[in-house]
Amino acid sequence: MPTYAAPVKDTRFVLNHIVGLDRLSNVPGFQNATPDLVDAVLEAGGTFAAEVLQPLNQVGDREGAQRQPDGSVRMPTGFKDAYEKYKEGGWPTLTGPEEYGGQELPLVVGTAVSEYLMSANLGFSLTVMLTEGCIAALELEGSDEQKAMYLPKLVSGEWSGTMNLTEAHAGTDLGLIRTKAEPNGDGSYSITGQKIFITGGEHDLSENIIHLVLAKIPGDPDNVKGISLFVVPKYILDENGKPGTRNSVTCGSIEHKMGINASPTCVLNYDGAKGWLVGERTKGLRAMFIMMNAARLGVGVQGLAMSEVAYQNAVAYAKDRRQGRALVRNKEIADAADPIIVHPDVRRMLMDMRAFTEGSRALALWTALQVDLSRKSEDATEKQAASDLNALLTPVVKGYLTDLGLQITVTAQQVYGGHGYVKEWGMEQFVRDARIAQIYEGTNGIQAMDLVGRKLPMDGGRAVRLFFDRVTRDIAEAKGHERLAPLADALEKALGHLQASTLWFVQNAMTNPDNAGAGAVSYMNLMGVTALGWMWLLMAKGAQEDLANGAADKSFAEAKLITAKYFAERMLPEASTYRRRIEAGSATLMALPVEAF
Amino acid sequence: MPTYAAPVKDTRFVLNHIVGLDRLSNVPGFQNATPDLVDAVLEAGGTFAAEVLQPLNQVGDREGAQRQPDGSVRMPTGFKDAYEKYKEGGWPTLTGPEEYGGQELPLVVGTAVSEYLMSANLGFSLTVMLTEGCIAALELEGSDEQKAMYLPKLVSGEWSGTMNLTEAHAGTDLGLIRTKAEPNGDGSYSITGQKIFITGGEHDLSENIIHLVLAKIPGDPDNVKGISLFVVPKYILDENGKPGTRNSVTCGSIEHKMGINASPTCVLNYDGAKGWLVGERTKGLRAMFIMMNAARLGVGVQGLAMSEVAYQNAVAYAKDRRQGRALVRNKEIADAADPIIVHPDVRRMLMDMRAFTEGSRALALWTALQVDLSRKSEDATEKQAASDLNALLTPVVKGYLTDLGLQITVTAQQVYGGHGYVKEWGMEQFVRDARIAQIYEGTNGIQAMDLVGRKLPMDGGRAVRLFFDRVTRDIAEAKGHERLAPLADALEKALGHLQASTLWFVQNAMTNPDNAGAGAVSYMNLMGVTALGWMWLLMAKGAQEDLANGAADKSFAEAKLITAKYFAERMLPEASTYRRRIEAGSATLMALPVEAF
């Protein structure tokens, strides 16, 4: 049975040294986030994740969410109880708006806790995560009446929320959707169509489910410019705001998937269901994209979360399992074989996982901070900078961290040898669960296109120039320190490749957009490894400060410095390969005629 | 539902240009392998795979092999019929020794066909593959009596075979096994112990199951030097050589796995089962390693096989699924959206898969040829060279091709977007099935250690020097050709990194073996990408010859040249990163104390 303990110490290190939580108390929304409170939230969140959610992870996979003959969906054993505890603990309210009963803590704190919940039980956590997206969209686009009707119950967790975008023939390309919304004449609309892949579309955890649905009003353009957003509750609210009449939206089936079996992925049939327009008519995609942008950070964190729990279990096995002798002998002589952690190749796997996972945590929390600052900062320059950096890095966090999520869970499974392939040990579930994050909320290829096609040219390249400036500044500063200088040098080379690749796009993608598409994923990886290298430089700097300040836990700080060095030696050299791929362009890649495939 | 068509044309291209089948007719064992016969075998094998095995692949995954309360194992629906057809078609006899009823065709032909069988249905094919290993071991190490007793029935497929190595506490480290073989005084032994992860350990396909079992005879050393090999039939043969008394070996349970569900992975309990020594006492590992070496090539082919079928289905979907518009517009205007194959990032995925898969096929068949030559050539120099190259490249074929197998099946799944994650579409099964090949027959980390620790220093580096010579010769020859020169240049750079890395090991691994372990997997990847680059150079050369000779199918030859260029531009640049990782050594990698994890 896999185990899990929330990495609170590492989170705290990142909050101190990368986020700089203590320096943010003058930013609105951060006042409440005192170190003591944040510590308490992290500890309690970690405990809840480890004690309540994690023990249900394997049963959730085994039983799965089950659709009943009447169209209802039964969640796996123990999930309803866990959801009750989740509500009782106040967890749904963590980052919710105070006005509607939330604690309105910074997203950076919410993100730290959500990592723990997802590590412990991704299947459970997805329903929760989608509700947060639903809250964000209603808060931004909903009318005051809609906010009053839905937000308090969504924030408390009594109700849950969904996002309804995809149809069978329309995934990435939402312009193709066919779901119709016909005006009823009383301000409401009659929604008809079929949506697929709806996470948490039906289940027995909450009293009501609030669906946000993309549809077209007849007469509006039959393309992306004609899409509007509607709120469609499972139970229509009565005059007291309580769930009343059952709406005509039903779960036609649930998908049988590779993983996240506990999360019901529903086909939802809207058969003249009653809905209400949210925000402006034909501007539905705008609201959806705001919501998706937030969700993309959350999905990136899923990659991190799967990496962390898989890494922890790989470490435990590597210390416990005895096979073979150390190459450099006599490291241990008490038994017939050494624990496999003595073998350099096992150590390589552990160090790879560690370097990527801790780097991912730093980048995810740093990005969450940019979201907070972009929303709340009263310094216009800081606010704009945070907004730019968030826009730029969000597709990288989603794409790169979820690609790492698969890579790391596979590596962790490999440490177990044959046992890693057997369900009972739990490692293969991490791989199956991690896989989805590369696909949903826009495949990683789509993230890469968003990065190269939209985020790079945005405002004449302002965001990427700012990113280069920040990294360059930190490199320059680090060069004077003995232990940081080698990291700074390695990062400088990677950054050089990133800058050269950016210039290559400027020079070659305007004349031939296929050159952007052909290099997009390589560019996302290049920016990802550079961004993680930057995070490692900052973490190494933080560790040195801790050592200089006489930190109580010297070994923790030393481990950070060693892992930073490992990242610089082993990961940053990838940068040159990505650049070579980008500069290869699209000519050969597009050369084969379609019939040749 | 996934589909499959055997890539007979591509196999033939490799047999012509890489293997040079037509030039081998003077090598013993190749006389029968006339082009016409080989063509007929490939066509028929492809048809059998596509029509009989492939339709059972999903049902095999869904139902799995099922252990019954009486300890017997029921194979999935249709498998028994398919096995009957497999026998009737004479497929088990393809490469078996003529003396025992086989057709004794070269392994290179057998390997080509086995790729098809495994693409179509890996779960089914594993039982078959293990029987081949069992035949090989008995042929090499068995007494004449044992050969006469077991080989005819194993070759015909009436009986099947297994390899019993692993115990719960002893996987990689076989010295730790505890299974005992006590002499009965009549030439037989009484085998007691528990073996795990036994593929095909129990099933209802064949009349008898012949287990080859590693065990220790009391009094022999309790380490790798005390291991002997035994043959333990499920049914002890009666005086007529027919299955008689049930032996006391029973299936205690079967594993619930991530994939290859149709393949029963058994816990086998030996409770004083009757067995007979095979080969020399205490030399059991030698026989097992011969068998495993052959099996490792077969497992490498599994990586290729999963890549091919996943690639084919990704191509089909990319041509069919319409989402979005081409970046360079007006490529198609007939519909509201273009097929996704127009998008450069989708094209990148297809080209990546194609370049790796076709390269893998060439390397696998080239390696099989080395096995044939090392066994059958009458030219002592050729025989030794083939033996050296086979020893060197086998761990690369196993490790690199199965790592690619996972990477390519994941990429193919990605092409499907959300549908790739849903079981019904079949793509996620390829990922789950491909995953095991990185683990069994020695994890890929073990393969890398075999390569670096044993194969490189073997005979003073003779094998690797020969490999360098061959590649260098082909590079030099290609430099004079306009379209081959760029490929040769790219390959020369990769080879330079490989040579430099080899030298680095010579200089740094003797003084500190951890330096070998720390760089082993990177070295395996480096040799893998170089070997595939070599294969692509040879394939490009072959394609040019075909064009010069007025080949009927020009577009096939052109596609080879383009894909070769793609490999050179996009894959070979990885080489420098692997070298950097190797040269980073083990200092940082081993620096963390165990407690820091």
Side-chain angles (χ1 to χ4, degrees):
Chain A
M1 272 274 291
T3 59
Y4 175 70
V8 174
K9 193 176 196 171
D10 199 57
T11 306
R12 208 178 282 139
F13 178 85
V14 173
L15 292 180
N16 287 342
H17 290 294
I18 308 286
V19 172
L21 207 55
D22 51 336
R23 298 188 303 272
L24 294 166
S25 53
N26 58 336
V27 176
F30 280 83
Q31 301 94 331
N32 301 337
T34 60
D36 283 355
L37 179 82
V38 171
D39 266 5
V41 167
L42 295 179
E43 289 289 352
T47 304
F48 175 75
E51 292 181 2
V52 178
L53 298 186
Q54 198 272 342
L56 300 176
N57 194 42
Q58 280 189 299
V59 72
D61 183 60
R62 215 162 41 232
E63 293 183 9
Q66 302 272 3
R67 184 177 176 278
Q68 306 301 304
D70 65 359
S72 68
V73 171
R74 194 168 63 203
M75 293 291 275
T77 306
F79 274 52
K80 181 121 181 81
D81 278 356
Y83 192 79
E84 290 304 313
K85 286 182 184 142
Y86 171 75
K87 281 192 297 182
E88 283 162 19
W91 296 110
T93 69
L94 207 59
T95 57
E98 276 186 343
E99 192 181 348
Y100 303 105
Q103 303 177 58
E104 211 163 327
L105 281 169
L107 184 67
V108 75
V109 177
T111 301
V113 173
S114 76
E115 180 206 317
Y116 303 164
L117 306 185
M118 296 201 254
S119 277
N121 195 325
L122 186 58
F124 177 92
S125 304
L126 290 176
T127 303
V128 167
M129 183 176 148
L130 269 289
T131 301
E132 284 169 13
C134 187
I135 292 169
L138 284 171
E139 206 186 343
L140 272 159
E141 297 280 332
S143 66
D144 288 343
E145 194 195 350
Q146 286 170 340
K147 289 182 197 177
M149 284 170 79
Y150 298 111
L151 285 181
K153 296 289 190 183
L154 285 167
V155 168
S156 70
E158 286 163 274
W159 301 349
S160 60
T162 71
M163 289 164 62
N164 290 237
L165 291 75
T166 306
E167 301 179 9
H169 57 287
T172 298
D173 191 349
L174 290 171
L176 304 175
I177 66 166
R178 292 182 195 139
T179 299
K180 264 188 304 209
E182 288 172 300
N184 291 329
D186 61 354
S188 72
Y189 288 80
S190 186
I191 315 284
T192 303
Q194 188 183 66
K195 295 287 181 179
I196 67 167
F197 296 159
I198 308 307
T199 300
E202 181 59 55
H203 57 76
D204 55 10
L205 296 182
S206 59
E207 288 167 17
N208 203 356
I209 301 177
I210 311 304
H211 305 293
L212 292 182
V213 185
L214 291 185
K216 289 173 182 162
I217 298 172
D220 287 344
D222 191 17
N223 54 43
V224 284
K225 293 185 177 133
I227 299 176
S228 302
L229 180 67
F230 299 86
V231 58
V232 185
K234 174 178 168 183
Y235 293 102
I236 298 169
L237 308 196
D238 65 19
E239 61 274 18
N240 303 314
K242 296 226 153 57
T245 320
R246 183 71 167 83
N247 210 342
S248 42
V249 45
T250 52
C251 171
S253 63
I254 60 180
E255 306 292 348
H256 298 98
K257 307 186 300 295
M258 184 185 195
I260 51 165
N261 292 334
S263 174
T265 305
C266 302
V267 172
L268 287 188
N269 295 317
Y270 291 86
D271 186 17
K274 212 164 189 179
W276 289 267
L277 185 66
V278 177
E280 217 176 316
R281 180 169 168 171
T282 75
K283 303 291 183 204
L285 275 191
R286 190 179 62 192
M288 218 32 128
F289 274 120
I290 291 166
M291 197 159 135
M292 277 182 67
N293 208 55
R296 284 194 288 170
L297 170 58
V299 174
V301 175
Q302 292 174 24
L304 161 64
M306 290 294 98
S307 299
E308 173 65 33
V309 68
Y311 167 69
Q312 287 187 15
N313 283 282
V315 166
Y317 191 78
K319 288 179 174 179
D320 182 60
R321 173 79 171 173
R322 290 173 178 269
Q323 291 287 282
R325 278 292 181 197
L327 294 173
V328 180
R329 292 300 299 269
N330 294 325
K331 285 187 177 163
E332 294 209 11
I333 51 166
D335 206 320
D338 291 320
I340 60 173
I341 197 169
V342 302
H343 302 307
D345 188 58
V346 172
R347 195 61 83 95
R348 171 192 65 80
M349 294 193 273
L350 297 181
M351 288 300 291
D352 281 0
M353 292 189 267
R354 183 185 184 102
F356 278 131
T357 302
E358 295 182 7
S360 295
R361 179 172 299 114
L363 185 64
L365 295 179
W366 175 88
T367 306
L369 171 68
Q370 308 313 311
V371 177
D372 282 320
L373 294 176
S374 71
R375 287 179 189 163
K376 305 278 183 76
S377 176
E378 289 171 331
D379 174 332
T381 311
E382 183 180 61
K383 193 178 167 96
Q384 184 62 58
S387 173
D388 286 352
L389 290 172
N390 175 44
L392 183 72
L393 270 304
T394 292
V396 177
V397 168
K398 195 284 184 182
Y400 190 65
L401 266 52
T402 61
D403 282 352
L404 287 179
L406 183 71
Q407 180 182 319
I408 292 169
T409 52
V410 165
T411 303
Q413 181 189 25
Q414 192 74 11
V415 171
Y416 277 67
H419 297 104
Y421 201 67
V422 174
K423 281 178 181 280
E424 178 190 355
W425 290 78
M427 300 306 286
E428 59 88 47
Q429 185 189 347
F430 298 139
V431 175
R432 290 185 289 106
D433 287 356
R435 181 68 184 91
I436 187 60
Q438 300 173 287
I439 298 172
Y440 59 19
E441 298 298 338
T443 64
N444 288 355
I446 294 294
Q447 303 300 323
M449 281 306 296
D450 175 56
L451 173 65
V452 170
R454 294 183 57 237
K455 301 304 175 54
L456 283 191
M458 193 173 67
D459 305 305
R462 191 175 68 200
V464 76
R465 283 200 313 273
L466 177 61
F467 177 74
F468 293 158
D469 287 349
R470 292 272 180 100
V471 180
T472 304
R473 186 192 66 193
D474 289 331
I475 288 171
E477 199 186 307
K479 288 210 170 185
H481 297 71
E482 192 194 337
R483 288 188 77 176
L484 303 183
L487 313 181
D489 289 342
L491 181 58
E492 192 169 37
K493 286 201 189 92
L495 182 68
H497 292 306
L498 181 64
Q499 289 172 316
S501 300
T502 309
L503 192 63
W504 192 90
F505 280 134
V506 172
Q507 291 164 341
N508 296 280
M510 306 279 259
T511 48
N512 180 2
D514 278 350
N515 280 329
V521 160
S522 292
Y523 190 86
M524 181 178 81
N525 290 330
L526 177 49
M527 188 171 275
V529 78
T530 307
L532 253 57
W534 181 34
M535 291 295 123
W536 271 115
L537 182 66
L538 296 178
M539 287 197 281
K541 192 178 154 221
Q544 264 214 334
E545 286 166 11
D546 284 353
L547 286 174
N549 296 334
D553 193 348
K554 273 191 188 168
S555 64
F556 182 87
E558 276 296 335
K560 280 282 176 210
L561 283 159
I562 290 167
T563 311
K565 191 154 177 254
Y566 185 86
F567 192 89
E569 288 175 356
R570 291 234 165 197
M571 284 31 183
L572 286 175
E574 287 175 14
S576 67
T577 301
Y578 297 131
R579 176 179 171 184
R580 292 278 301 276
R581 286 198 186 129
I582 292 162
E583 293 180 351
S586 64
T588 311
L589 183 141
M590 298 298 286
L592 279 188
V594 169
E595 317 80 67
F597 284 95
Chain B
M1 271 273 293
T3 59
Y4 175 70
V8 174
K9 194 176 196 171
D10 199 57
T11 306
R12 210 178 280 138
F13 178 85
V14 173
L15 292 180
N16 288 342
H17 290 293
I18 308 285
V19 172
L21 206 55
D22 52 336
R23 298 188 304 271
L24 293 166
S25 54
N26 59 335
V27 177
F30 280 84
Q31 302 94 331
N32 301 337
T34 61
D36 284 354
L37 179 83
V38 171
D39 265 6
V41 167
L42 295 179
E43 289 289 352
T47 304
F48 174 75
E51 293 182 1
V52 178
L53 298 187
Q54 198 272 342
L56 300 176
N57 194 43
Q58 280 189 299
V59 73
D61 182 60
R62 214 163 41 234
E63 293 184 8
Q66 301 273 3
R67 184 177 175 278
Q68 306 301 305
D70 66 358
S72 68
V73 170
R74 194 168 63 204
M75 293 292 274
T77 305
F79 274 52
K80 181 124 182 78
D81 279 356
Y83 191 79
E84 290 304 313
K85 285 180 184 144
Y86 171 76
K87 281 191 298 182
E88 284 161 20
W91 296 110
T93 69
L94 207 59
T95 57
E98 276 185 343
E99 192 181 347
Y100 302 106
Q103 303 177 59
E104 210 162 328
L105 281 168
L107 185 67
V108 74
V109 177
T111 302
V113 173
S114 76
E115 181 206 318
Y116 304 164
L117 306 184
M118 296 202 251
S119 278
N121 195 325
L122 186 59
F124 177 91
S125 304
L126 290 177
T127 303
V128 167
M129 183 177 147
L130 268 289
T131 301
E132 285 170 10
C134 187
I135 292 170
L138 284 171
E139 206 187 343
L140 273 160
E141 298 280 332
S143 66
D144 288 343
E145 194 195 350
Q146 286 169 342
K147 289 182 196 177
M149 284 170 79
Y150 299 111
L151 285 180
K153 297 290 190 182
L154 286 167
V155 168
S156 71
E158 287 163 273
W159 301 349
S160 60
T162 71
M163 287 164 63
N164 290 237
L165 291 76
T166 307
E167 301 179 8
H169 58 286
T172 299
D173 191 348
L174 290 171
L176 303 176
I177 66 164
R178 291 182 196 140
T179 299
K180 263 188 305 210
E182 287 171 300
N184 291 328
D186 61 355
S188 72
Y189 289 80
S190 186
I191 315 283
T192 303
Q194 187 183 67
K195 295 287 180 178
I196 66 167
F197 297 160
I198 308 308
T199 300
E202 181 59 57
H203 56 76
D204 55 10
L205 297 181
S206 58
E207 288 168 16
N208 203 356
I209 302 177
I210 310 305
H211 305 293
L212 291 183
V213 185
L214 292 184
K216 289 174 182 162
I217 298 172
D220 288 343
D222 192 16
N223 55 42
V224 285
K225 294 184 177 133
I227 299 176
S228 302
L229 179 67
F230 299 86
V231 57
V232 185
K234 174 178 167 184
Y235 294 101
I236 299 168
L237 309 196
D238 64 19
E239 61 275 19
N240 303 315
K242 296 225 154 58
T245 320
R246 183 71 166 83
N247 211 341
S248 41
V249 44
T250 51
C251 171
S253 62
I254 60 180
E255 306 293 347
H256 298 97
K257 307 186 299 294
M258 183 185 196
I260 51 165
N261 292 333
S263 174
T265 305
C266 302
V267 172
L268 287 188
N269 295 316
Y270 291 86
D271 186 18
K274 212 164 189 180
W276 290 267
L277 185 66
V278 178
E280 216 175 317
R281 180 169 169 172
T282 74
K283 303 292 182 203
L285 274 190
R286 190 180 62 192
M288 217 35 128
F289 274 119
I290 291 166
M291 197 160 137
M292 277 183 67
N293 209 56
R296 284 194 289 171
L297 170 58
V299 174
V301 175
Q302 292 175 23
L304 160 64
M306 290 295 97
S307 299
E308 173 65 33
V309 68
Y311 167 69
Q312 286 187 16
N313 284 282
V315 166
Y317 191 78
K319 288 179 174 178
D320 181 62
R321 174 79 172 173
R322 290 173 179 271
Q323 292 287 283
R325 278 293 182 196
L327 294 173
V328 179
R329 293 300 299 268
N330 293 327
K331 286 191 177 160
E332 294 209 10
I333 50 167
D335 205 318
D338 291 320
I340 60 173
I341 197 170
V342 302
H343 301 308
D345 188 58
V346 172
R347 196 61 82 98
R348 170 191 65 80
M349 293 193 274
L350 297 181
M351 288 299 291
D352 281 1
M353 290 189 267
R354 183 186 185 101
F356 277 132
T357 302
E358 295 183 7
S360 295
R361 178 171 299 113
L363 185 64
L365 294 179
W366 176 88
T367 306
L369 171 68
Q370 307 314 312
V371 177
D372 282 322
L373 294 176
S374 71
R375 287 180 190 163
K376 305 278 181 78
S377 176
E378 288 171 332
D379 174 332
T381 312
E382 183 180 60
K383 193 178 166 96
Q384 184 62 57
S387 172
D388 285 352
L389 290 171
N390 174 45
L392 182 72
L393 269 304
T394 292
V396 177
V397 168
K398 195 285 183 181
Y400 190 64
L401 267 53
T402 62
D403 283 351
L404 287 179
L406 183 72
Q407 181 183 319
I408 291 169
T409 52
V410 165
T411 304
Q413 181 188 25
Q414 192 74 10
V415 171
Y416 277 67
H419 297 104
Y421 201 67
V422 174
K423 281 178 181 281
E424 179 189 355
W425 290 78
M427 300 305 287
E428 58 87 47
Q429 185 189 347
F430 298 139
V431 175
R432 291 185 289 105
D433 286 357
R435 181 68 183 93
I436 187 59
Q438 300 173 286
I439 298 171
Y440 59 20
E441 297 298 338
T443 64
N444 288 356
I446 294 294
Q447 303 300 323
M449 281 306 296
D450 175 55
L451 173 65
V452 171
R454 294 184 57 236
K455 301 304 174 57
L456 283 190
M458 194 172 66
D459 305 305
R462 191 175 67 202
V464 76
R465 282 200 313 273
L466 177 62
F467 177 74
F468 293 158
D469 288 349
R470 293 271 179 101
V471 180
T472 303
R473 185 192 67 192
D474 289 330
I475 289 171
E477 199 187 306
K479 288 211 168 184
H481 297 71
E482 192 194 336
R483 289 187 77 176
L484 303 183
L487 314 181
D489 289 343
L491 181 59
E492 192 170 36
K493 284 200 191 93
L495 182 68
H497 292 305
L498 181 64
Q499 289 172 315
S501 299
T502 310
L503 192 62
W504 191 90
F505 280 133
V506 172
Q507 291 165 341
N508 296 279
M510 306 278 260
T511 48
N512 180 2
D514 278 350
N515 281 328
V521 160
S522 292
Y523 191 86
M524 182 178 78
N525 290 330
L526 177 49
M527 187 170 275
V529 79
T530 306
L532 254 57
W534 182 34
M535 292 295 122
W536 271 114
L537 182 66
L538 296 178
M539 286 198 281
K541 192 179 153 221
Q544 263 215 334
E545 285 166 12
D546 284 354
L547 287 174
N549 295 334
D553 192 350
K554 274 192 187 169
S555 65
F556 182 87
E558 275 297 336
K560 280 283 176 208
L561 282 159
I562 290 167
T563 312
K565 191 155 177 253
Y566 185 86
F567 192 89
E569 287 176 358
R570 291 232 166 199
M571 284 32 181
L572 286 175
E574 288 175 13
S576 67
T577 301
Y578 298 130
R579 176 180 171 183
R580 292 278 302 275
R581 284 195 188 131
I582 291 162
E583 293 180 352
S586 63
T588 311
L589 182 140
M590 298 299 285
L592 280 188
V594 169
E595 317 79 68
F597 284 94

